[in-house]
Amino acid sequence: MALREVLQFPDPRLKEVSKPITRVDDEIRELARDMIDVMYDEPGIGLAAPQVGAPIRLFVIDTEWSDEEVGRNPMVVINPEISEREGRITWEEGCLSVPDYTATVERDARIRLRGTDLDGNPIEEIAEGLRAVCIQHEVDHLDGILFIDRISRLKRSLYVKKRKKQLAEEQG
Ligand code: K1U
Ligand code: ZN
């Protein structure tokens, strides 16, 4: 199985606003399958299409992440919309596109997610806690926003400095 590469900050493609999906074809089905493989392999509890270089509005999620294939329940969401938001919650977030960094982010505590699955069936879910946080994180990716855009300017600039140093060292 050839795994798609996850784009890493500061790749400019992570800042693009992704396009709505108008028709689900074989290419999109294959992309969703590949993204699920990447999510479990990394491992992660979510992954948005632009993170693998596809600027379209689709993400995959499994917040009950399990090491064992039998316990897995991935969900593919196309053209997600968050329609209701209630309360605030803070969570320590990480991102597969932001290596070696986590930070506390404040988000909506309870949300209503709407979208469709790969067969065009509607998805509607009220999410709370980690699931609500992860959905907002993935929808942010579709809008070109990373969790480091939601932390203080000081924390962000310290991370950017660390990341530039890391990349310079990698390049020798
Ligand atoms: O979108 C991504 O980059 C995936 C990211 C999602 C996320 C994590 C935490 C809070 C909000 C959003 C990750 O999955 S990072 C890895 C991670 O948190 C994790 C991995 C395996 C098991 C449990 C958690
Ligand atoms: Zn992320």
Side-chain angles (χ1 to χ4, degrees), residues 13-26:
R13 288 172 288 179
L14 292 168
K15 296 190 68 144
E16 282 172 26
V17 177
S18 293
K19 298 247 177 329
I21 294 175
T22 52
R23 195 174 74 92
V24 175
D25 57 16
D26 287 348

Side-chain angles (χ1 to χ4, degrees), residues 9-172:
F9 177 83
D11 192 308
R13 288 172 288 179
L14 292 168
K15 296 190 68 144
E16 282 172 26
V17 177
S18 293
K19 298 247 177 329
I21 294 175
T22 52
R23 195 174 74 92
V24 175
D25 57 16
D26 287 348
E27 206 180 315
I28 288 177
R29 285 178 204 284
E30 191 181 341
L31 171 71
R33 266 197 307 271
D34 288 356
M35 284 173 58
I36 290 169
D37 289 343
V38 172
M39 175 176 72
Y40 290 120
D41 185 73
E42 281 284 334
I45 53 172
L47 188 70
Q51 290 180 276
V52 291
I56 56 171
R57 300 189 80 82
L58 180 156
F59 71 79
V60 297
I61 186 169
D62 184 357
T63 43
E64 305 289 307
W65 192 92
S66 159
D67 225 354
E68 316 258 324
E69 272 185 44
V70 281
R72 292 177 175 173
N73 186 24
M75 181 166 85
V76 178
V77 188
I78 290 172
N79 297 333
E81 300 280 350
I82 296 171
S83 59
E84 286 163 36
R85 303 164 183 270
E86 220 181 272
R88 299 296 281 166
I89 188 172
T90 52
W91 208 279
E92 179 92 9
E93 295 191 22
C95 178
L96 301 177
S97 297
V98 179
D100 308 315
Y101 190 65
T102 61
T104 303
V105 179
E106 192 182 337
R107 297 197 185 262
D108 302 308
R110 190 177 148 93
I111 58 166
R112 185 188 296 271
L113 167 73
R114 286 200 171 99
T116 54
D117 68 14
L118 286 168
D119 299 317
N121 301 312
I123 289 173
E124 184 170 351
E125 177 184 332
I126 306 261
E128 292 179 326
L130 174 61
R131 196 158 172 92
V133 168
C134 189
I135 289 168
Q136 290 170 80
H137 178 114
E138 301 311 330
V139 172
D140 267 359
H141 274 301
L142 306 184
D143 291 327
I145 298 166
L146 296 175
F147 81 98
I148 53 170
D149 299 321
R150 296 194 178 276
I151 60 178
S152 74
R153 225 182 254 187
L154 175 64
K155 280 188 187 161
R156 190 182 191 283
S157 64
L158 286 173
Y159 173 70
V160 171
K161 220 172 172 179
K162 172 177 137 159
R163 178 70 180 139
K164 280 187 182 156
K165 198 168 159 223
Q166 190 182 47
L167 285 169
E169 280 165 8
E170 274 173 28
Q171 278 151 21

